[in-house]
Amino acid sequence: MNSYGRFAEVYDQLMEDIPYDQYVEWITKHAPATTHSKLLDVGCGTGVMLSMLLKSGYEAAGLDLSEEMLMMANTRLQTQGQQALLVCQSMDELDGFVDLDVVCIPIDSINYLQQWSQVKETLKRIYESLRKGGQLFFDVHSLYKMDTIFMDGPFTYDDGEVTYIWHTEALDTPHTVEHDMTFFVEVEEDLFERFDEQHIQRSFAVDDYVQLLREIGFTNIHVTADFNEQAPTAESERIFFHAVK
């Protein structure tokens, strides 16, 4: 998995179209925070959603593989007058959490695991970290998005301060995409700095995720799509999973 590096500096600008509020509403609808509800945000990034979850009443902690992301998350929380445990750890090595009420893996973070064994280990460790009745929420890119939409690149972005060119390429491994991104970030008027990022994501069939959740021991598994809590269609782009220990 990529640690994001310099990408952390521009991540929030590029994620402005993500409806974090809808994601938080999805979680709070099914697992409303009560006194001392413990939540872990896996792949918390720069802490945008983590901050929102704290405001919703959870005792929330954040986990991410990128130290740069966690530094920005810490700054964000301090600015908001909030506190949360932030842990630098790969999700498939999750350790040190027990009796959690809620675990979420938002915004296709789990797609950075390129091996099925890593996905399995991640969900198994999450299961072990939840209390009985604890709930898991996560989302993935659909196979349609991996195999079709991402192949419509290149994609571009320019807001005057940050410009990127985003090339995508299908790799030999099924439903695996390499993202090659070139960024130009304004450091002073009319002077831009270039840096490059490479990310690889992989997704799997909905039925494979559901079967794995069942094998691990999760129950009450619900699958929806695209932030609307409706069943996925052939052209759904983002698949959501909600399961209970």
Side-chain angles (χ1 to χ4, degrees):
M1 291 184 294
N2 194 291
S3 65
Y4 278 91
R6 293 287 307 280
F7 189 53
E9 299 175 18
V10 297
Y11 182 81
D12 289 340
Q13 290 170 268
L14 305 185
M15 298 292 282
E16 285 181 344
D17 62 337
I18 296 293
Y20 289 106
D21 56 339
Q22 292 184 44
Y23 213 113
V24 172
E25 287 173 10
W26 176 49
I27 295 172
T28 57
K29 174 182 176 180
H30 296 284
T34 59
T35 304
H36 305 306
S37 291
K38 296 193 295 183
L39 179 147
L40 177 62
D41 181 355
V42 177
C44 66
T46 62
V48 173
M49 206 171 97
L50 179 60
S51 177
M52 297 171 69
L53 290 164
L54 286 164
K55 291 177 182 177
S56 296
Y58 299 100
E59 289 187 1
L63 180 144
D64 204 280
L65 182 59
S66 168
E67 293 183 358
E68 294 89 350
M69 289 285 195
L70 291 175
M71 289 174 61
M72 296 187 70
N74 185 56
T75 299
R76 179 187 305 281
L77 297 183
Q78 288 183 346
T79 300
Q80 297 290 327
Q82 298 172 317
Q83 291 183 330
L85 174 67
L86 299 174
V87 178
C88 187
Q89 193 175 71
S90 176
M91 65 180 77
D92 61 330
E93 297 177 349
L94 175 66
D95 188 34
F97 295 91
V98 295
D99 294 327
L100 294 170
D101 297 286
V102 177
V103 175
C104 62
I105 318 174
I107 319 303
D108 55 81
S109 294
I110 200 169
N111 287 138
Y112 283 91
L113 301 176
Q114 297 175 40
Q115 303 299 323
W116 185 243
S117 59
Q118 294 175 294
V119 177
K120 183 176 182 179
E121 186 66 20
T122 296
L123 297 180
K124 179 183 175 183
R125 286 174 179 256
I126 287 173
Y127 183 87
E128 294 169 349
S129 299
L130 287 164
R131 65 165 177 81
K132 185 176 180 180
Q135 302 183 54
L136 167 65
F137 301 83
F138 71 99
D139 69 282
V140 300
H141 290 312
S142 70
L143 299 190
Y144 171 71
K145 186 172 185 179
M146 298 294 287
D147 300 341
T148 302
I149 294 180
F150 278 140
M151 296 304 102
D152 287 338
F155 308 98
T156 60
Y157 173 92
D158 183 4
D159 69 357
E161 296 180 354
V162 177
T163 300
Y164 75 65
I165 304 170
W166 172 13
H167 293 274
T168 55
E169 179 183 357
L171 300 184
D172 292 338
T173 305
H175 317 306
T176 303
V177 174
E178 180 178 279
H179 307 279
D180 290 303
M181 294 169 281
T182 299
F183 293 88
F184 299 89
V185 179
E186 188 174 35
V187 292
E188 56 183 82
E189 188 174 359
D190 297 327
L191 179 63
F192 290 78
E193 180 181 0
R194 170 180 171 166
F195 66 92
D196 299 283
E197 285 278 328
Q198 181 186 83
H199 301 265
I200 296 176
Q201 287 189 302
R202 184 181 184 186
S203 202
F204 299 89
V206 170
D207 289 347
D208 291 339
Y209 287 111
V210 171
Q211 181 61 32
L212 176 58
L213 290 167
R214 287 175 177 159
E215 290 175 359
I216 291 172
F218 284 100
T219 61
N220 299 327
I221 301 166
H222 295 280
V223 182
T224 57
D226 297 333
F227 293 99
N228 59 24
E229 295 215 50
Q230 301 296 315
T233 69
E235 295 187 353
S236 295
E237 297 185 26
R238 191 179 293 272
I239 310 299
F240 292 79
F241 297 87
H242 171 214
V244 179
K245 177 174 178 177

